Amino acid sequence: MREPIIQLDHIDISFHQKKRKIEAVKDVSVAINQGDIYGIVGYSGAGKSTLVRAINLLQIPTAGRVKVSGQTFFDRKVNLKAGDLRQKRREIGMIFQHFNLMTQKTARQNVAFALRHSDLSKEAKAEKVDELLELVGLSERADNYPAQLSGGQKQRVAIARALANDPKILISDESTSALDPKTTKQILALLQDLNKKLGLTVVMITHEMQIVKDICNRVAVMQNGSLIEEGTVLEIFSNPREPLTQDFIKTATGIDDALVKINRQDVVKRLGANDRLVFLRYAGTAADEPLLNAIYRQYEVSSNILYANIEILDDTPVGEMIVVLSGQQVSSALSAIEAADVSVSILKGGQ
Ligand SMILES: Nc1ncnc2c1ncn2[C@@H]1O[C@H](COP(=O)(O)OP(=O)(O)OP(=O)(O)O)[C@@H](O)[C@H]1O
Ligand SMILES: [Mg+2]
């Protein structure tokens, strides 16, 4: 098997403040493959930023091992020399929520600054800066200062700067959190494009599951310093195991809003003994409507669909439905549905 481009093994990171010990990252292991757009989600304080800062050793772990491009960056035995570390760090670009541009320098100068240690000639550097600004679609604004640029444009400068030393990895720490939805989409499209064009591996910290759904292929969920769930976006969206993961997914599918409305409906307020309000989720076409209809017929249950949503993730349809199922054999029908690889949660009825 191919070796992951980033491999974190049993990473612990703690901070000591006065007499208090803060365990920001606890025994986290994660492998990220070349070409992944890898999402890391979690609430504020979960340890996301601290964890990704260990990838380029901006944050030295308390314990564990960091391997990048097959080379051990850090473990108890290996401690790269400052010069080597600086060299290796250039293989990893980083962008942030607040862009971190130098306000006294133009877009061009901000990007050029990242090349100050490069061996390129002066002319080659200038050419490289032009290419980078072109790559992020900002050639016309090269001589503007950050104050003259919109948020999206500033983030483009920051991306060009992050790519100046041809990194194989780009870490994005909430890089779209300060942008409006339309600009967010444009920046995400740019990152996706760079991932395809340059084979760039992207590590994407976000608290928005929608972003994960839009561009990531894998995702890890962090809570209180631990990694609680990890998998392909399809796996996580079609079969989330942890309550926190389920919460995150609900915010991305709008199902929470739907539930509020559904709970107000008369059919739901007055469920009979043979009625169940259920949430069904399935991935792939195996368990689509014809199959469900066959089960309903077999067990003589009727269904009233209150909410349905199908999305294509990784070329696979993932369907979600909230339905009221009614009939004497409703429990058997639900077992048959579950046996057909549909995840079933009973939201109401049957107690
Ligand atoms: N340099 C530091 N010194 C002390 N505590 C720190 C330091 N950096 C982070 N922490 C603590 O570690 C924990 C994890 O912080 P971290 O910034 O990694 O969270 P996060 O998931 O990135 O949150 P957010 O979504 O708000 O950015 C928090 O409790 C934070 O207060
Ligand atoms: Mg953070």
Side-chain angles (χ1 to χ4, degrees):
M1 231 187 81
R2 226 161 25 127
E3 190 170 18
I5 188 165
I6 301 168
Q7 194 175 337
L8 304 177
D9 293 320
H10 303 290
I11 301 291
D12 287 329
I13 300 173
S14 37
F15 299 106
H16 293 272
Q17 276 190 335
K18 297 194 183 134
K19 283 186 187 141
R20 218 155 64 94
K21 181 178 169 196
I22 300 165
E23 295 182 295
V25 174
K26 295 181 241 176
D27 194 22
V28 171
S29 297
V30 59
I32 299 176
N33 286 317
Q34 149 79 40
D36 275 351
I37 302 187
Y38 194 101
I40 298 180
V41 300
Y43 288 126
S44 186
K48 308 178 296 293
S49 297
T50 308
L51 178 71
V52 300
R53 286 161 58 83
I55 298 172
N56 53 9
L57 296 189
L58 283 176
Q59 178 65 57
I60 305 290
T62 315
R65 185 178 68 162
V66 179
K67 265 180 109 178
V68 177
S69 301
Q71 195 183 359
T72 302
F73 249 34
F74 172 87
D75 72 11
R76 262 191 300 172
K77 284 169 245 104
V78 179
N79 231 331
L80 286 187
K81 284 198 245 77
D84 294 339
L85 185 58
R86 217 178 303 125
Q87 180 65 36
K88 291 298 284 180
R89 269 189 192 147
R90 273 183 230 146
E91 292 178 17
I92 303 169
M94 197 158 179
I95 53 175
F96 308 89
Q97 179 175 3
H98 296 297
F99 326 120
N100 299 8
L101 298 178
M102 291 177 285
T103 54
Q104 307 300 326
K105 290 186 191 289
T106 63
R108 188 195 301 282
Q109 290 164 343
N110 264 284
V111 179
F113 190 74
L115 288 170
R116 66 197 181 283
H117 297 301
S118 142
D119 298 331
L120 296 177
S121 68
K122 210 174 148 208
E123 292 74 26
K125 280 185 190 174
E127 202 174 307
K128 176 104 200 189
V129 171
D130 284 344
E131 278 169 22
L132 287 161
L133 287 169
E134 169 93 43
L135 184 67
V136 299
L138 214 64
S139 300
E140 270 113 73
R141 298 303 200 117
D143 295 313
N144 282 180
Y145 289 90
Q148 299 170 304
L149 300 172
S150 70
Q153 289 167 337
K154 278 188 257 200
Q155 197 55 287
R156 285 172 194 269
V157 178
I159 293 170
R161 178 184 59 183
L163 297 179
N165 292 293
D166 303 311
K168 300 185 186 79
I169 299 164
L170 179 70
I171 296 173
S172 155
D173 192 347
E174 302 274 8
S175 67
T176 59
S177 297
L179 305 176
D180 62 57
K182 189 168 161 223
T183 313
T184 294
K185 287 249 182 265
Q186 290 165 349
I187 294 293
L188 294 178
L190 173 62
L191 293 178
Q192 225 169 358
D193 193 40
L194 295 170
N195 165 261
K196 285 214 185 76
K197 244 196 235 159
L198 311 175
L200 189 70
T201 303
V202 182
V203 182
M204 191 87 205
I205 296 184
T206 177
H207 55 263
E208 281 181 67
M209 217 52 181
Q210 185 63 43
I211 289 179
V212 170
K213 199 162 68 178
D214 285 349
I215 74 163
C216 297
N217 62 319
R218 291 189 79 88
V219 58
V221 183
M222 286 190 77
Q223 184 174 33
N224 297 329
S226 301
L227 196 154
I228 58 166
E229 192 160 3
E230 198 269 350
T232 67
V233 168
L234 180 61
E235 282 163 2
I236 297 291
F237 271 83
S238 57
N239 190 20
R241 286 179 284 109
E242 299 293 328
L244 178 68
T245 315
Q246 290 164 5
D247 279 356
F248 268 109
I249 288 173
K250 279 184 201 153
T251 62
T253 51
I255 209 154
D256 266 356
D257 294 342
L259 263 176
V260 171
K261 289 184 192 134
I262 284 168
N263 274 318
R264 286 198 211 114
Q265 297 192 18
D266 277 347
V267 276
V268 175
K269 282 194 200 147
R270 304 200 188 94
L271 284 185
N274 293 327
D275 300 335
R276 304 283 183 280
L277 177 69
V278 292
F279 174 61
L280 307 177
R281 184 192 276 122
Y282 58 87
T285 47
D288 59 8
E289 272 203 77
L291 179 124
L292 291 176
N293 284 332
I295 292 173
Y296 298 161
R297 266 199 308 279
Q298 186 185 344
Y299 293 95
E300 297 172 333
V301 295
S302 63
S303 79
N304 182 355
I305 300 177
L306 304 178
Y307 169 92
N309 181 40
I310 292 189
E311 294 198 66
I312 309 294
L313 292 173
D314 245 358
D315 296 329
T316 304
V318 175
E320 291 183 329
M321 277 194 247
I322 298 175
V323 296
V324 175
L325 289 185
S326 312
Q328 293 213 328
Q329 302 181 65
V330 68
S331 298
S332 311
L334 286 171
S335 303
I337 293 170
E338 251 182 330
D341 265 346
V342 177
S343 114
V344 175
S345 339
I346 299 179
L347 301 175
K348 204 170 173 191
Q351 286 88 11

